[in-house]
Amino acid sequence: MSEPHGRLLVIDDEQGIRDGCRRVLAPEGYAVDTAGTITEGRQAIEAGGYDMVLLDVMMPDGRGIELLADIHQRDPDCVTAILTGYATVELAVEALKAGAYDFIAKPFSGDVLLLTVQRGLERRRLLAEARRLEAVERQAAALARDRDEIERLERFKSSFMLMVAHELRAPVVGAQSLLRTLVRGMTGELTDPQREILDRVEARHAELLDLINDLLALAASKSAPPEAQMTSVDLAPVLQEVGERFRPQAEAAGVELVVEASDRLPHIRATKDDLAMVLSNLIGNAVKYTPRGGRVTAEVLVGKDEIEVRVSDTGIGISAEDLPRLGEEFFRAGNAKQSGITGTGLGLAIVHQHLDRLGARMEVESDLGRGSTFRVRLPREA
Ligand code: ADP
């Protein structure tokens, strides 16, 4: 059986009115219950579930108006209409004051009854919709407050990070140059164990400086609004330049680095710095996470609205479990940490910031132990 159009309760001591209401309303798809006394009516209301109640005012055991408060307390959206044989203005006003929505003067025709019920149920539907919208608005306001708070904390975190990284950089760079003096034997010959220890100190120092530089880059990417600096950028030379920057590192690691970018690529709307930062993080990672004998390829595919830069490698890959977390600040995949390859877990967070500024998207596919492909889709210049 299909759902009724509405559940109605008719409370009236006249059998004729109860039967008449049922006769008119049931064929129209309404489920109609009836009650012949106030007591019966009260019981039915307590059981609940009515969309609309039609109430006689004068009953042998009381006045229908007395039930209005009960009905509305149970369900504030339940619509009530008074059936009155004494269609006086005072009674109507009293009923409306007590929360009734409408009244019907007896005797009434089937059409008037039907119209009143349809109008009443429409009001109920609108009330429910208004309530739903109010709830959505309240939720939206709460979310907006949460978002403002998160943005405030995010700004605080960025400026704190920027300040700390700034303060740390100078002493770390100073200590590094002093270390170099020692390592190069400028203060006297070193024994082998001394040299070994100093080499390790120098390597740890380099990691520290990487972290500081990444923190500075991340803070910088979050601050300056890019719109004003956007220009028409030729992707090919930027990609080639970044590729050349990593060539010595790739050669030293025994990794073949192939950069394929034709000279006649369409331009993109970007800032060169954002673009270079994205490409150097992706190519740098690909070289870093690819073992000796592997291959890194950076290529460009031109689409109708977008240009795709694809950086793929035959490196250590990323597990399906870790993939969704790439780009979280400080996140490093389990296999990268175990491999002994050092990193800060900030590079891809920086990439995401720059991609946001460029209105670009990134997708990553990876096969653990076999390699990864990072695709960046950049909007073509109009
Ligand atoms: P990190 O400084 O650790 O390289 P990133 O933010 O650049 O930090 O990258 C986050 C993590 O994503 C890395 O630690 C590594 O686990 C994984 N990752 C990124 N690029 C690659 C890649 N080309 N191959 C395998 N793993 C990668």
Side-chain angles (χ1 to χ4, degrees):
M1 215 178 78
S2 62
E3 274 286 298
H5 294 163
R7 290 201 62 206
L8 310 175
L9 175 64
V10 180
I11 306 174
D12 198 300
D13 60 336
E14 283 179 59
Q15 174 92 41
I17 295 281
R18 297 200 299 271
D19 291 347
C21 286
R22 200 193 293 279
R23 229 181 5 257
V24 171
L25 298 170
E28 297 294 325
Y30 299 103
V32 184
D33 287 344
T34 56
T37 60
I38 292 282
T39 315
E40 266 177 45
R42 186 166 276 126
Q43 279 165 0
I45 288 160
E46 270 162 24
Y50 293 105
D51 301 309
M52 184 165 183
V53 179
L54 302 163
L55 265 180
D56 187 8
V57 267
M58 288 303 180
M59 307 272 286
D61 58 342
R63 284 160 30 110
I65 292 176
E66 289 159 19
L67 286 178
L68 287 173
D70 286 357
I71 296 171
H72 293 137
Q73 199 176 14
R74 262 205 91 79
D75 176 2
D77 289 350
C78 183
V79 183
T80 43
I82 298 295
L83 304 170
T84 172
Y86 311 88
T88 58
V89 175
E90 295 81 43
L91 205 53
V93 170
E94 192 186 337
L96 293 176
K97 268 192 192 157
Y101 166 63
D102 209 349
F103 76 96
I104 310 177
K106 291 181 193 173
F108 48 83
S109 68
D111 286 349
V112 167
L113 175 66
L114 203 55
L115 201 68
T116 309
V117 166
Q118 283 166 347
R119 226 172 30 202
L121 292 179
E122 177 61 9
R123 173 186 159 81
R124 178 177 169 81
R125 198 186 60 72
L126 292 175
L127 280 175
E129 183 63 11
R131 234 175 260 286
R132 195 185 64 77
L133 290 177
E134 270 173 31
V136 169
E137 260 172 37
R138 270 199 305 278
Q139 268 174 349
L143 284 174
R145 276 196 303 277
D146 288 352
R147 192 201 53 214
D148 288 351
E149 182 60 7
I150 289 169
E151 279 174 4
R152 191 185 68 78
L153 291 172
E154 190 61 35
R155 279 195 302 276
F156 174 76
K157 190 182 85 178
S158 293
S159 62
F160 180 73
M161 215 159 70
L162 187 65
M163 184 199 71
V164 172
H166 245 298
E167 294 299 313
L168 284 175
R169 198 168 190 284
V172 170
V173 169
Q176 198 180 38
S177 71
L178 291 173
L179 257 174
R180 264 197 207 122
T181 329
L182 279 179
V183 173
R184 287 188 189 141
M186 289 161 85
T187 54
E189 270 308 299
L190 295 173
T191 64
D192 284 349
Q194 281 174 333
R195 176 172 300 283
E196 207 176 293
I197 288 173
L198 281 179
D199 281 348
R200 274 160 59 191
V201 172
E202 208 182 11
R204 301 311 298 268
H205 236 91
E207 282 171 34
L208 186 56
L209 203 57
D210 278 349
L211 176 61
I212 291 170
N213 286 337
D214 276 356
L215 284 172
L216 285 172
L218 185 62
S221 70
K222 286 182 181 180
S223 53
E227 283 77 17
Q229 308 139 27
M230 293 273 221
T231 54
S232 168
V233 177
D234 186 359
L235 176 63
V238 183
L239 183 58
Q240 269 143 5
E241 200 183 301
V242 173
E244 286 319 304
R245 214 185 314 148
F246 285 96
R247 200 161 293 289
Q249 194 180 322
E251 273 167 15
V255 172
E256 186 187 358
L257 173 60
V258 183
V259 177
E260 288 171 1
S262 108
D263 291 340
R264 312 183 61 154
L265 290 176
H267 286 203
I268 55 170
R269 185 130 195 98
T271 78
K272 249 189 190 165
D273 288 349
D274 283 316
L275 197 56
M277 191 59 108
V278 168
L279 296 175
S280 55
N281 269 294
L282 296 185
I283 296 178
N285 276 347
V287 170
K288 184 165 82 165
Y289 292 110
T290 299
R292 186 165 291 278
R295 182 182 160 105
V296 169
T297 314
E299 56 195 326
V300 180
L301 289 89
V302 179
K304 197 159 75 68
D305 306 313
E306 294 174 321
I307 295 190
E308 180 181 304
V309 182
R310 196 180 286 180
V311 179
S312 40
D313 63 59
T314 58
I316 64 170
I318 302 149
S319 72
E321 192 190 328
D322 284 333
L323 265 183
R325 296 197 56 195
L326 288 195
E328 281 178 25
E329 288 172 16
F330 299 106
F331 176 76
R332 302 198 69 213
N335 63 331
K337 284 193 277 191
Q338 279 159 15
S339 70
I341 301 167
T342 57
T344 61
L346 288 175
L348 290 183
I350 295 170
V351 165
H352 277 295
Q353 287 293 327
H354 286 279
L355 290 178
D356 274 356
R357 289 151 57 93
L358 294 174
R361 294 173 296 131
M362 185 169 83
E363 281 163 29
V364 188
E365 280 165 37
S366 191
D367 214 349
L368 192 61
R370 287 167 181 261
S372 314
T373 301
F374 287 74
R375 296 166 206 269
V376 170
R377 300 217 168 91
L378 300 151
R380 272 178 72 158
E381 189 170 46

